[in-house]
Amino acid sequence: MTLKPLFARTCLAALLSVGLAHAAMADQLDDIKKAGKVRVAIAMGSPLFSFVDANMKSTGSDVETAELFAKDLGVKLEIVPVTNAARIPTLQANRADVVIADLSITPERAKVIDFSIPYAVITIIVGGPKNIQIKDYSDLNGKRIGLTRATVNDTITTQLGKGAEIVRYEDDATLITSMVTGQIEIFSSTPSNLGEMIKRAPEKNLELKFAQKDFDLGIALNQNQPRLKEWINSWVLANHRNGKLDAIYMKFHGRHLPAAVAKQ
């Protein structure tokens, strides 16, 4: 082999190496800024987190978090409404840049998507009428319990409530309607959804039966997006320290974020 072809191949390899390195460094953050908008997937129909108010305006703690996120990023916000089950698929299909949709950080989800540090929390509970005695998972044996598909409620209740008949719904709004209309009597969801049920059907005498678990919520993004993840984590930290994320959470949920989250 002569030196000339060898030199040409060496140069080509070097160029490919530089190109691959540049591709690795380039990330979705540049695309978002170039587009002038950020597409945020939000699971509308989750009381307190994301819902439509009396004026038909999207609101809730996740909606206001997304609004602050876009403002600080210096771009417009485009809300991509999704169901709970569609949160991760929508991100993976690149129909959204990030997900801010009460999505709990779990090891299973972290295998296929990436998460920011926690920006908020969600509490998972079991609720039902006062005249039904339920203190723990064993009391669910032989009972029908409703929950929202593809949520941590689904995962935990399936694992620990093995004797229960689980009825799965596509979103929180349908779950709430099913409880209010008497299609089911017991549910696994959040305190905010329990509050909505009580508001809409006070005659059912619903109450919290037991708390299942608290979960940290993260802003979800696709894997291998280092610059976008770095920006998001810095943004979450800054807005914990200036109190803005806590103020949003307090406004809708009536309580402060836990110190472990707010003082990261």
Side-chain angles (χ1 to χ4, degrees):
M1 180 182 292
T2 64
L3 289 176
K4 190 172 182 179
L6 179 60
F7 177 75
R9 291 185 182 181
T10 302
C11 288
L12 177 61
L15 287 171
L16 288 173
S17 177
V18 170
L20 289 173
H22 182 270
M25 288 188 294
D27 115 354
Q28 209 166 0
L29 182 62
D30 296 322
D31 296 333
I32 292 169
K33 290 185 175 181
K34 185 177 180 180
K37 68 177 181 180
V38 59
R39 300 168 300 161
V40 180
I42 300 180
M44 300 304 298
S46 298
L48 306 188
F49 284 99
S50 48
F51 57 97
V52 177
D53 65 16
N55 297 316
M56 301 305 294
K57 181 181 181 296
S58 297
T59 189
S61 59
D62 276 344
V63 173
E64 289 205 1
T65 297
E67 291 171 346
L68 180 63
F69 181 86
K71 178 183 176 183
D72 289 347
L73 190 53
V75 297
K76 294 180 180 179
L77 170 64
E78 179 183 323
I79 293 178
V80 181
V82 295
T83 63
N84 291 84
R87 291 173 295 184
I88 293 175
T90 297
L91 181 64
Q92 293 177 314
N94 197 35
R95 292 194 295 271
D97 301 306
V98 298
V99 177
I100 302 178
D102 55 285
L103 190 62
S104 302
I105 301 171
T106 68
E108 293 77 15
R109 288 170 175 165
K111 292 176 183 177
V112 295
I113 60 171
D114 216 342
F115 283 102
S116 71
I117 59 177
Y119 74 94
V121 296
I122 191 169
T123 302
I124 306 304
I125 65 166
V126 168
K130 292 181 180 180
N131 62 352
I132 298 179
Q133 296 298 314
I134 300 174
K135 295 182 179 180
D136 55 34
Y137 290 102
S138 63
D139 292 329
L140 296 176
N141 290 341
K143 294 182 173 66
R144 295 175 79 241
I145 180 169
L147 48 76
T148 304
R149 186 188 307 278
T151 59
V152 287
N153 312 64
D154 193 349
T155 303
I156 291 178
T157 307
T158 299
Q159 290 175 347
L160 302 179
K162 296 185 183 299
E165 177 189 348
I166 298 176
V167 182
R168 294 176 174 86
Y169 297 94
E170 292 303 317
D171 52 44
D172 287 351
T174 309
L175 171 65
I176 292 169
T177 299
S178 296
M179 278 294 299
V180 169
T181 58
Q183 296 177 50
I184 51 174
E185 286 191 306
I186 306 165
F187 70 91
S188 169
S189 193
T190 63
S192 57
N193 284 343
L194 170 60
E196 182 66 17
M197 294 170 190
I198 292 172
K199 177 181 175 182
R200 291 171 57 180
E203 73 282 357
K204 291 190 175 295
N205 294 314
L206 299 176
E207 65 177 5
L208 187 154
K209 295 300 183 181
F210 67 91
Q212 294 178 270
K213 193 173 181 179
D214 287 338
F215 283 92
D216 290 338
L217 302 180
I219 296 174
L221 65 156
N222 280 314
Q223 294 178 337
N224 302 315
Q225 300 293 335
R227 289 182 56 241
L228 179 59
K229 183 176 180 179
E230 181 182 9
W231 190 93
I232 294 173
N233 280 338
S234 296
W235 178 84
V236 172
L237 278 175
N239 284 283
H240 276 317
R241 289 168 182 168
N242 65 25
K244 289 183 179 179
L245 286 174
D246 184 63
I248 290 172
Y249 196 80
M250 182 69 179
K251 175 180 176 180
F252 290 95
H253 300 270
R255 61 186 175 118
H256 292 288
L257 287 168
V261 171
K263 300 185 182 301
Q264 295 177 77

